Amino acid sequence: MGIEIGDVRLDTPVILAPMSGVSDKPFRRLVSRLGAGLVVSEMIASEASVREARQAMRACKLQETYDDEGPMAVQLAGCDPDTMAEAARIQRDRGAAIIDINFGCPVKKIVTKYAGSALMREEALAGRILERVAEAVHPLPVTLKMRLGWDRDSLNAPDFARMAQSAGIRLITVHGRTRQQLYNGTADWAEVARTKQATDLPVIVNGDIDTADDVRGALAASGADGVMIGRAACGAPWRLGQVMQLLRTGHMGAAPDLAAQRDIALEHYEALLTYYGRHRGVRIARKHMAWYAQGLPGAAAFKRAVMAAEEPCAAKTLVRQLYAAAQDNRHAATRAQAA
């Protein structure tokens, strides 16, 4: 079920979603190492991208590149076609293999600026953005992520898919909710099928995909060519690798054992400190460590403690203690079953 996005071929199309505050470089690199067809950056505002690039040029500073990440997509949001085009060129020059356009973000501060999912109510403007970005970075592939529509009375994703194909877009991802649903309710995978039927482009289904049954159900209901996984990867960056194995073999890959999970969490912690610096890294790492703890014995107490930890050594000791207790608990349960 491989697909091609320009020069990027995904033999197994399992894609990390662009999650604000999550899909940063440390997380993308970890997910890629643990198995993913493609990773996408957290959403970047086109205006901010252009402004920062101009400031860097005036100061003769080099901007960070994506050269050490392998094929990855950079997602842009905005409502001005020319600014979006300039931002796309900037990200191309930084090493992005794919430019992804965001017509799906439901957050109020984005929507009120007529960006994200607000553009699903502005078809003419949306079309100009798609055309300008595709032209600006050709032959670099451009993809689109959107929702089913603004609300249940305007499920216009199929219309947008046809428009995107005409504009030169190379792949479409559909989150199976409307903007008005935000992240509430359940994703309507079957409604994504209408988009798949409306276009010859590869279509990726997104929303509520975690377990093997979810993957099978989403693909069967939507007819999509692959899946995008977001929140299920928080605290489980190995999830995409598990799903990759499911699509290749028919069997969901096993999660790492507790010792390996501990090492992954500590690796992630160190990567965040290196990337952001000690002060900021400690604070950003807190939410990730809390996600790693989900489902483990003592998770609630661990979360309170790690959220208060100011020193990296203290936080990492808490992580080791959490997993040691989980291993002891598992060994005790095994012994009890044997008895």
Side-chain angles (χ1 to χ4, degrees), residues 148-313:
L148 298 175
W150 180 259
D151 55 29
R152 296 301 299 188
D153 293 327
S154 55
L155 300 177
N156 57 351
D159 296 332
F160 270 64
R162 286 186 283 266
M163 178 175 68
Q165 182 170 335
S166 297
I169 301 305
R170 306 298 290 275
L171 174 143
I172 296 168
T173 299
V174 185
H175 183 118
R177 288 182 174 85
T178 65
R179 186 275 163 180
Q180 295 297 66
Q181 284 182 272
L182 300 177
Y183 294 100
N184 301 316
T186 57
D188 188 347
W189 301 325
E191 180 61 30
V192 177
R194 294 181 58 238
T195 299
K196 175 60 182 173
Q197 293 159 7
T199 178
D200 297 326
L201 295 175
V203 172
I204 304 297
V205 61
N206 174 226
D208 297 347
I209 300 174
D210 184 354
T211 68
D213 285 344
D214 294 336
V215 175
R216 295 188 186 102
L219 290 173
S222 66
D225 301 283
V227 296
M228 177 174 279
I229 295 175
R231 286 177 287 180
C234 295
W238 50 83
R239 180 73 79 244
L240 279 80
Q242 292 178 276
V243 175
M244 292 274 281
Q245 186 171 334
L246 173 68
L247 296 186
R248 287 170 176 162
T249 69
H251 302 284
M252 188 84 155
D257 62 26
L258 288 171
Q261 290 184 30
R262 175 203 62 210
D263 292 345
I264 290 167
L266 292 171
E267 175 189 347
H268 194 179
Y269 196 99
E270 286 294 340
L272 290 166
L273 294 181
T274 300
Y275 186 71
Y276 290 107
R278 178 188 170 282
H279 180 77
R280 190 177 176 200
V282 165
R283 281 151 181 76
I284 291 173
R286 289 170 177 166
K287 63 188 176 188
H288 288 282
M289 297 305 109
W291 285 328
Y292 282 110
Q294 288 177 352
L296 296 179
F302 168 80
K303 290 177 185 179
R304 290 192 295 271
V306 82
M307 288 294 179
E310 294 289 343
E311 295 296 328
C313 287

Side-chain angles (χ1 to χ4, degrees), residues 118-143:
L119 286 162
M120 298 203 72
R121 297 198 294 181
E122 302 288 342
E123 186 169 339
L125 174 58
R128 291 197 297 275
I129 290 171
L130 296 175
E131 290 173 355
R132 287 287 292 113
V133 173
E135 291 170 356
V137 297
H138 180 78
L140 196 77
V142 177
T143 62

